[in-house]
Amino acid sequence: MSPVSDAVPPLSAWRRFLEGDLWYSFRRSPVAQVAALLVLICAFCAVFAPWVAPHNPFDLSTIELADAQLPPAWLPDGRATFLLGTDDQGRDILSALMYGARISLLVGLAAVALSLLFGVALGLLSGFAGGHVDAFIMRVCDVMLSFPAILIALLIDGVGRALFPHAHDTVAFTVLILAIALTGWVKYARTVRGSTLVERHKDYVQAARVIGVAPLRIMWRHVLPNVTGPVLVLATIDIAAAVIIEATLSFLGVGVPPTSPSLGTLIRIGNDNLLSGMWWITVFPGAVLMILALSVNLLGDWLRDALNPRLQ
C-alpha cells in the first residue's frame, strides 16, 4: 500500500476542539456548565426579544395605563398575562427585562471589543518598540489608573452630551460605548505589553528579524498569537464589568436614552417606586443583572484555569 493511502487524514477544527483540553475541562466543571447555560439563556432572550417577549414594552399602542403597577402573577391582583408584573407605565416587566438585557449586552460587548482592539494594539506597540514609546504609553496608563473607571466614564459621557446636546439615540449609544471602552483598554495594554516583552527576545522573533521580516508583520503574525491567552480571559471577565458600568451610568441617568431603557434604567425606575411597595420593578432587573454578571465572571474564572498549564 502506498504511503499516501496510509496517511491519516487531518482532523477538522471542530473535531480538534472536541478532543482538546479545553472541552475536556469544560465537561468536568459543573460550575462552568451552569454558568454557560445561564449566559446562553440570557443571550438568547436578549437577541430574540422581539419574538420571545410576550409584549413589546416600547410600543405605545399596546400599553394601557390601567395595567400599571400590577404585581407578579402569583400575588393577589396579579395577572397571568404579566408574569413578573408591570411598572408605573403599564409595561410588562418580563418583556422589559429581555429588551433591557439586549441593550446592556450590546453596549457591553461593543465596549469590550473596542477597548480590546485599542489596548492590544498599544500593548504590542509598547512592548515591541520599547524606549520612549513604551515609557509614554505606560505613563498614560498610569494616569488612567489613578482615576476610578466610573468617574472617567462619567467625564467622557458628560463631555459627549455637552458636545452633542440634541443627539439622537445612535450618537448617545456611541458616546456611552466610548466612555466605557476608554476606561477599560489599560488592562489589555499592560497585559499584552508584559507578554510581548517576554516574546520579543525569543528565538523565533530573532529569526524573523534576521531574515528581514517587517516589525509590523512580526507583531501581527508571530507575537500576537502567543499573547492572546491572557487577553481572552480578561475580555471574558470584562464583559461583566462593562455591563455593570453601563447599568451604573444608566442608573445615574447618564447612560442609554430613556426611550431605550437598559437594566440600569429599569433599576432606577424601580428605585423611584420602591418605597411605594412596587418591589418587583427593582428586584427582577437587579436579579437579572446579578445573574448575568456572576455567570460571565464564573466563565472567565474557568477559562483562566483551563488556559493556564500550571493549574492543569
Side-chain angles (χ1 to χ4, degrees), residues 59-241:
D59 186 1
L60 298 180
S61 62
T62 62
I63 296 177
E64 296 288 343
L65 291 179
D67 298 330
Q69 302 179 5
L70 291 177
W74 59 87
L75 295 179
D77 299 329
R79 297 182 187 175
T81 54
F82 302 110
L83 183 62
L84 300 182
T86 60
D87 62 5
D88 57 344
Q89 299 180 28
R91 297 181 296 189
D92 179 42
I93 295 296
L94 178 60
S95 302
L97 288 178
M98 295 182 182
Y99 279 86
R102 190 183 198 185
I103 297 172
S104 296
L105 284 175
L106 175 63
V107 173
L109 289 174
V112 169
L114 186 59
S115 60
L116 179 67
L117 177 65
F118 190 58
V120 169
L122 287 179
L124 275 175
L125 178 63
S126 177
F128 198 82
H132 295 294
V133 176
D134 180 31
F136 175 76
I137 294 177
M138 287 302 101
R139 296 298 77 76
V140 174
C141 291
D142 293 338
V143 172
M144 295 292 292
L145 290 174
S146 63
F147 297 97
I150 189 65
L151 291 183
I152 298 177
L154 282 171
L155 174 63
I156 297 173
D157 189 84
V159 171
R161 289 175 181 273
L163 294 176
F164 307 101
H166 304 292
H168 49 80
D169 290 357
T170 303
V171 177
F173 275 111
T174 304
V175 171
L176 178 61
I177 291 172
L178 286 174
I180 299 175
L182 292 179
T183 63
W185 67 269
V186 176
K187 60 176 73 71
Y188 299 106
R190 292 173 69 93
T191 301
V192 173
R193 182 240 183 196
S195 301
T196 304
L197 288 175
V198 176
E199 296 294 327
R200 73 174 185 175
H201 296 294
K202 291 188 176 179
D203 294 339
Y204 71 94
V205 176
Q206 301 301 325
R209 283 176 167 172
V210 169
I211 63 177
V213 180
L216 287 177
R217 185 177 178 84
I218 294 176
M219 286 189 290
W220 176 255
R221 294 293 300 273
H222 301 285
V223 178
L224 181 60
N226 292 294
V227 300
T228 53
V231 172
L232 290 177
V233 176
L234 274 177
T236 304
I237 298 176
D238 207 32
I239 292 175

Side-chain angles (χ1 to χ4, degrees), residues 153-154 157-158 161 172 175-176 246 248-257 268:
L154 282 171
D157 189 84
R161 289 175 181 273
V175 171
L176 178 61
E246 182 277 325
T248 303
L249 294 175
S250 298
F251 181 81
L252 296 175
V254 295
V256 298
R268 178 175 61 83

Side-chain angles (χ1 to χ4, degrees), residues 24-74:
Y24 176 79
S25 174
F26 180 78
R27 287 191 291 111
R28 293 180 60 87
S29 176
V31 175
Q33 294 174 14
V34 174
L37 178 62
L38 292 175
V39 171
L40 286 176
I41 292 175
C42 292
F44 177 83
C45 293
V47 172
F48 298 100
W51 300 274
V52 177
H55 305 276
N56 186 351
F58 310 122
D59 186 1
L60 298 180
S61 62
T62 62
I63 296 177
E64 296 288 343
L65 291 179
D67 298 330
Q69 302 179 5
L70 291 177
W74 59 87

